[in-house]
Amino acid sequence: MEGKKETSSKCVVLLMLIICICSILVNILFAVRVYVAGVDGLGELSWSRKAAEQAEAVAAISCSGHGRAYLDGIILDGEKPICECNPCYGGLDCSHFLPNCSADAESGDPYFLEPFWMQNAESSAILVSGWHRMGYSFLYDQSYISKVLENHIRKLHGIVGNAITSGRYIIFGAGSAQLLNAAVHALSPSNASSPPAKVFVSIPFYSLYESQTEFFDSKNYNFEGDTRLWKNESHGNDTSLLIEFVTSPNNPDGKLNKAVLNGTNARAIYDRVYYWPHYTAIPAPADEDIMVFSISKLTGHAGSRFGWAVIKDEGVFERMTTYLATNTMGVSRDTQLRALKLINTMLKGRKGRDIFEFGYQKMSDRWKKLSQTLSVSTRFSLQKIEDQYCRFFDKVIKPSPAYAWVKCEREEDKDCYEVLKAANITGREGSVYGAENRYVRLALIRSQDDFDLLLKRLNNLVSKEEEEEEEEKIKTM
Amino acid sequence: MEGKKETSSKCVVLLMLIICICSILVNILFAVRVYVAGVDGLGELSWSRKAAEQAEAVAAISCSGHGRAYLDGIILDGEKPICECNPCYGGLDCSHFLPNCSADAESGDPYFLEPFWMQNAESSAILVSGWHRMGYSFLYDQSYISKVLENHIRKLHGIVGNAITSGRYIIFGAGSAQLLNAAVHALSPSNASSPPAKVFVSIPFYSLYESQTEFFDSKNYNFEGDTRLWKNESHGNDTSLLIEFVTSPNNPDGKLNKAVLNGTNARAIYDRVYYWPHYTAIPAPADEDIMVFSISKLTGHAGSRFGWAVIKDEGVFERMTTYLATNTMGVSRDTQLRALKLINTMLKGRKGRDIFEFGYQKMSDRWKKLSQTLSVSTRFSLQKIEDQYCRFFDKVIKPSPAYAWVKCEREEDKDCYEVLKAANITGREGSVYGAENRYVRLALIRSQDDFDLLLKRLNNLVSKEEEEEEEEKIKTM
C-alpha cells in the first residue's frame, strides 16, 4: 500500500512537473513574441493602428479577382465599401461575367501594373497623418516641390538610362497634361508685338495636344496641325516661332519619333511618358530641351496625376514654374508623397529590375499573343516594331508597345472602329489621332481581364475571317 | 524521518502547484491579450504594419514644439527625416530661437489648425495601399470625381449652413486657384464673334484674380481692374460680358462683400473660401450662381490643393468640367481620399462643432489680443468688424478674421510695409491687393509661434510709439 501511494504521489509530481514545464515553455513563447514585436519596429502601434486595420480590411474584401474595393468606395450596407468590378464583370463580388459585354480596349488605364503593387504591398504602403504637410511650401526651401522626390527621379533616370538629368531643371505637374500646356505657354512669345507661336504635331498623335492648345485659346499660340503638311508648303518670310509636340515612343503607334521641324525658330516638346523599359527598348538616354514624363505610365498610377518635366533652359523652367504656381500652386503634396513612395519601392526592387522585368514581361507577352492572333489575318494588320538593343536590360529585346495601332486592310472596311465594334471590341477611332478611320487604337495596358477578353474576341473575329475565306474559295471554285 | 520526508515532499508538491497555477495564469493573460487583439479590429497587421510604424516613428521625432518632421522630409543621418522648423526657430531639434529674425505674417499658411489634427490623430490618419485607385476614373461612374466625397461636402454645407447645395452641381479643382480660372473660362464667350469678357474685382482684392487672368492671356477675357472705377464711368453701348470676382469674407479685410456690378450682362464668381465659422459669423447660407470653396482654409490643408465649386447652371458646370479634364484630368485621387478622410473626421467630431469651436476659439482669441495691442496706438489702425449673429453657433459671436488689414495712419508712413519691416515684422504690401501701400496685410492663421512673435513685436512697436509721444510732449512743454 505504502509503495503504491508513493508511486502514485510520484506520478502526480511528474505530471505536475510536465504541466509546469509546458506552461513555462508556452509563456516563454508568448514572451518572445512580445519581445520580437517590440524589437521589430516600434512594437505596439497607437494612433496609426486603426487606419492600418481599415486598409487591411478593405484589401481583404473579395472581389473574385475581377475587381477591388477601395477605402473611399461607396458603402452600401453600412459596413464595407462595394467591389468595383473590371469591365464585363458584375455582381456584388464581381464574380458574374457579362457575356455580351464589349471588350474594353479604349482608354489607357494602366491596370497591368496593379498586380506588381499588390505583390509589393508592404514596401509601397504609406500612412498619412492628419497633419502631414499642411502648408503651401516645403519648409526647408519654401518651394512647391519635394527635393527628396526630385532626387529620387534623377536617380531613377540614371539607373534606367533613359534621360540625362544632370545639369537640368526638374519641375512637377499634375500628370503630363498640365506640363504640356505649361511648356507651350513657356515657349510662346509673351509680348503682343510678336506673332503667336504655331503649334504642330505629326499624325498620328495624342489628341490632347490639339484639344488643349485650342481649348485654352491663348493670344500667344495657335494649333496649326500636321508638321509634314507644313514642311511641304513654302512659308516665305514667316518668322513665327514653331512649337512641335514629339511623342517618343509615339501614342498610338509606339514609334521612337524625332522632331520634324528644324531651324532656329523651331522648338520641340518631347512627350517621353512611354520611354520606359515596359514599352520600348531604351537605345540611349534622351537629351532633349524639354522632356515630359509621368507616373501614369511608369508606375501605373494614372489617378494620382503626377508628372515631371526635365528642362535645359533656365528661362523656360522659370516660366513653367510661374505657370504651375498660377494654375494650381504646384502639385498636391499628398500626391508628391505617394509618388515618392512608389519610386522608392521601384528603386529598392533590385534597382528597378523588379518592376521593369514585370512590366516588360507582361507587355511583350501581350504583344506576342496579339501578333500571333493577327498574323493569320489578311483583314487586319498591326504596326511593325523591330527587336532592338536595350541599354537597361543590356540585350536585344522583343517589342512590347502600350498600344496596338490596327489597320483594316479591306477596301470596304473604311470604319475600322465599327468593324471591331460589331465584333464586340471597343477601341478608339483613328480620327481621334488625326489619322484615317481605317485605323483603330487598342490599349494593351489595361487589366488582365480586359486583355484576355480582347484576345478572345479578336481570335473569334480572325477565325470567322478564315471561315469566310474558305467559303469564298468554295464559291469561286 | 519518514514524516519529515513526507512533509518536504508535500512542500515540493505545493510549491510546484503554485508555480504551475501562476504559469497557467500568465498563460491565460497572454492568451486573452492575443484574443483581444484579434477581436479589436483585425488583430495582427501584416502588410500595413511597417507603414504605420514608420509614420509613428516620424511623428515621435521631437522638434521641441517649434517644428515637425515629415515622412518625406530630407534624411541627413541616413536614419530619420530632419525637423522642419517654424520661422525664427533653428537647430536640429528646432529648439534654437533666432532672436533677430523677422516675425512672419506674410503668406496665409493655415498652420493654426495643425494642433487640431494632432489631437485627432487616430480618426484623421489614412493608410494608402500601393494599388489604391490607379485608373483615370472612379470605376463606379467613370468620372474624375469621388461621389462619396461629393456627398460628404454636401452634408458639411448642410450642417454648417453656409451654402445651399441642393439641386446644385459640384466640381473639384486643385485648390480654389484652378477653379477660379475655370470659372472665368466657362463664363467667357467661346466664339470669336463676341467681344472678350471684361473681368473685374473690387479693391482691395486677392492678387491671384489679376495675375491669373492676365497670365493665361486668353482671347476670350481681359482683366479690367476695379469694379467701382468701371461703375462710375459711362459705357454707352458696351455689351461685353462683365465677370466680377467677389471674395466674401474678403481677403484681406474680412468684409462680407457682395457683387457691385449688376445687369443682364454681369456674372459673379463668389470666392467663399473663408466663409466658415473659424473666420466669420455665418448669417445665412450663401446661394450664388458660382461659389468656390477649398480645404486650405477649411481644414488647414493648403498643401493638399483641393477645392470645389458649387454651381447652379448646367452649361457652366459642363464647361468647367471640360476645363478640369483638359488642364489636369481632374484632381489627384490621392488628394480626394485625403479630403474625404479630413471632412469625415470633421463630421464625426460633434457634427463639425469640434473643429469650428477650435478654429473660432483660436482666431477670435488672436483677434482680441491684436486689437488690444493696437487699441492704444494712434499710428496703426485695424479694419472694423462688428459682432454678428452666427447660425452655426446659434449666438452672436466676436470677430475672428483670417487677416489683419493694418493701416499706417501717420502722414509720413506712406509705406506701411517698410514701417513694420523696420520693426522686424513681415506682412504683405497693400499694393499687392490693389490698395495703397499705407495698408499691410498680416496673416493671423499661421502657427502659434508666428502669431506669438508677431504680437510681441507689435507690442514693442506700440510701446515705443507711447514713449515717443511722451518725449514729444516733454519737448513741446
Side-chain angles (χ1 to χ4, degrees), chain A residues 3-276:
Chain A
K4 232 183 187 176
K5 205 175 168 186
E6 207 169 304
T7 315
S8 87
S9 156
K10 267 184 190 163
C11 270
V12 169
V13 170
L14 199 70
L15 192 69
M16 275 177 65
L17 194 70
I18 289 166
I19 291 173
C20 209
I21 287 168
C22 284
S23 171
I24 286 167
L25 277 177
V26 171
N27 269 328
I28 289 168
L29 277 175
F30 272 125
V32 165
R33 215 178 99 113
V34 169
Y35 175 76
V36 166
V39 168
D40 171 22
L42 289 171
E44 290 309 294
L45 294 169
S46 65
W47 57 270
S48 71
R49 187 175 182 89
K50 208 173 125 195
E53 284 171 358
Q54 281 168 345
E56 293 205 7
V58 168
I61 294 170
S62 164
C63 304
S64 315
H66 302 298
R68 71 292 293 152
Y70 294 114
L71 265 184
D72 55 359
I74 289 172
I75 293 170
L76 286 185
D77 56 3
E79 275 198 22
K80 55 183 193 180
I82 57 161
C83 279
E84 299 180 24
C85 306
N86 292 338
C88 301
Y89 286 85
L92 279 178
D93 64 350
C94 304
S95 62
H96 185 58
F97 177 68
L98 311 169
N100 297 320
C101 161
S102 187
D104 193 342
E106 205 250 323
S107 78
D109 284 281
Y111 282 112
F112 80 104
L113 286 166
E114 195 181 53
F116 177 82
W117 297 108
M118 288 179 167
Q119 287 163 24
N120 289 272
E122 188 176 47
S123 59
S124 63
I126 329 165
L127 194 135
V128 188
S129 72
W131 61 94
H132 178 76
R133 295 247 177 250
M134 293 176 64
Y136 285 100
S137 313
F138 286 84
L139 290 168
Y140 50 78
D141 65 358
Q142 294 299 315
S143 84
Y144 291 160
I145 278 185
S146 160
K147 199 75 202 161
V148 181
L149 175 54
E150 187 190 324
N151 291 341
H152 268 67
I153 287 171
R154 289 181 191 277
K155 199 169 169 189
L156 179 70
H157 282 302
I159 283 171
V160 177
N162 66 337
I164 306 271
T165 62
S166 165
R168 308 288 183 271
Y169 299 94
I170 288 186
I171 185 176
F172 298 167
S176 62
Q178 193 182 19
L179 291 163
L180 295 168
N181 190 250
V184 172
H185 204 282
L187 291 176
S188 298
S190 54
N191 51 342
S193 62
S194 307
K198 294 185 157 78
V199 181
F200 296 93
V201 63
S202 298
I203 290 171
F205 62 87
Y206 176 43
S207 60
L208 189 73
Y209 306 136
E210 179 174 1
S211 61
Q212 205 177 53
T213 310
E214 293 192 330
F215 184 83
F216 292 117
D217 217 4
S218 164
K219 289 168 192 147
N220 309 321
Y221 51 80
N222 291 313
F223 189 76
E224 303 277 343
D226 190 35
T227 48
R228 293 183 188 95
L229 215 67
W230 169 266
K231 237 193 154 170
N232 290 339
E233 294 163 1
S234 89
H235 302 285
N237 290 331
D238 192 339
T239 58
S240 302
L241 192 88
L242 312 178
I243 299 173
E244 180 181 358
F245 281 112
V246 186
T247 323
S248 186
N250 194 32
N251 172 6
D253 62 12
K255 295 224 165 74
L256 285 171
N257 283 348
K258 286 192 163 59
V260 170
L261 303 177
N262 305 307
T264 50
N265 61 337
R267 307 274 181 280
I269 300 166
Y270 270 82
D271 183 339
R272 286 283 188 187
V273 298
Y274 298 97
Y275 199 50
W276 298 104

Side-chain angles (χ1 to χ4, degrees), chain A residues 23 43 46 48-49 56 84 109 126 128 130 133 136 217 219 222 297 301 305 328 332 334-335 338, chain B residues 23 43 46 48-49 56 84 109 126 128 130 133 136 217 219 222 297 301 305 328 332 334-335 338:
Chain A
S23 171
S46 65
S48 71
R49 187 175 182 89
E56 293 205 7
E84 299 180 24
D109 284 281
I126 329 165
V128 188
R133 295 247 177 250
Y136 285 100
D217 217 4
K219 289 168 192 147
N222 291 313
K297 298 303 181 295
H301 293 78
R305 312 307 310 128
T328 55
S332 168
D334 305 333
T335 300
R338 186 101 195 272
Chain B
S23 174
S46 67
S48 73
R49 186 175 182 90
E56 292 206 7
E84 299 181 24
D109 283 281
I126 329 165
V128 187
R133 294 247 178 250
Y136 285 101
D217 217 4
K219 289 169 192 145
N222 291 311
K297 299 302 182 295
H301 293 78
R305 313 306 312 126
T328 55
S332 167
D334 305 332
T335 299
R338 186 102 195 272

